[in-house]
Amino acid sequence: MRQVRRAKDAMDRDWADPELDLDTVAAHAGYSRYHFIRAFKEAYGETPGQYLTHRRIERAEDLLRTANLSVTEICHLVGFSSVGTFSARFKAWTGLTPSEYRHQHVGRGAALIPGCYAMLWAGGFRTPPGPGPRQQRNSGEAG
């Protein structure tokens, strides 16, 4: 049970990472993917994929209510790589499309957070991997 809980903690921590997949999570538990699915479902009542989808949808609901971001931006911030998949899963979970959900819930509280702040807070501004700061070169003059 400890290994399964460790893998669930990894999902709770890294839920927005689109690279987070079943093999990665199962590795946290030290199980094969198939044994992990069975153990996780026995412990938590849903498969790891269902759990991760629900975590992402819950976070998307929060962002749709509070942030001035497009559905596409929210889709990618919460770890989905396809807007179509995101919208279908969102509707299956909430009964509403993301746009319908936003329309029903916006205006029932504080003003929307500007998108640039929400993106910064959610880690949406990522620097590409590579060497340190880029060195600027002039147009070939002096060196």
Side-chain angles (χ1 to χ4, degrees):
M1 183 62 182
R2 179 199 270 156
Q3 295 94 329
V4 174
R5 190 176 21 227
R6 187 177 320 138
K8 182 179 175 285
D9 290 344
M11 285 192 292
D12 288 338
R13 181 184 60 244
D14 300 330
W15 56 268
D17 181 359
E19 300 297 317
L20 186 65
D21 63 2
L22 182 58
D23 290 325
T24 303
V25 176
H28 280 285
Y31 290 163
S32 75
R33 65 186 295 149
Y34 303 105
H35 182 67
F36 177 68
I37 291 170
R38 285 190 300 274
F40 191 94
K41 187 166 184 174
E42 184 178 316
Y44 297 106
E46 59 186 347
T47 67
Q50 291 168 332
Y51 177 78
L52 187 57
T53 296
H54 295 161
R55 291 278 295 149
R56 289 174 171 170
I57 297 297
E58 287 169 356
R59 184 66 185 121
E61 287 175 312
D62 185 45
L63 288 170
L64 286 164
R65 284 191 308 267
T66 61
N68 187 16
L69 295 168
S70 71
V71 171
T72 301
E73 289 170 322
I74 291 171
C75 163
H76 294 292
L77 276 175
V78 299
F80 285 92
S81 56
S82 163
V83 177
T85 301
F86 168 67
S87 295
R89 298 250 170 94
F90 191 94
K91 185 168 184 172
W93 179 252
T94 65
L96 302 168
T97 67
S99 297
E100 291 169 341
Y101 185 89
R102 172 175 273 161
H103 182 73
Q104 278 193 2
H105 292 90
V106 165
R108 294 185 177 193
L112 292 177
I113 299 167
C116 57
Y117 289 114
M119 291 283 284
L120 184 63
W121 178 80
F125 298 118
R126 296 186 177 108
T127 56
R134 291 175 43 185
Q135 294 183 1
Q136 287 186 320
R137 289 190 169 172
N138 56 21
S139 59
E141 302 168 35

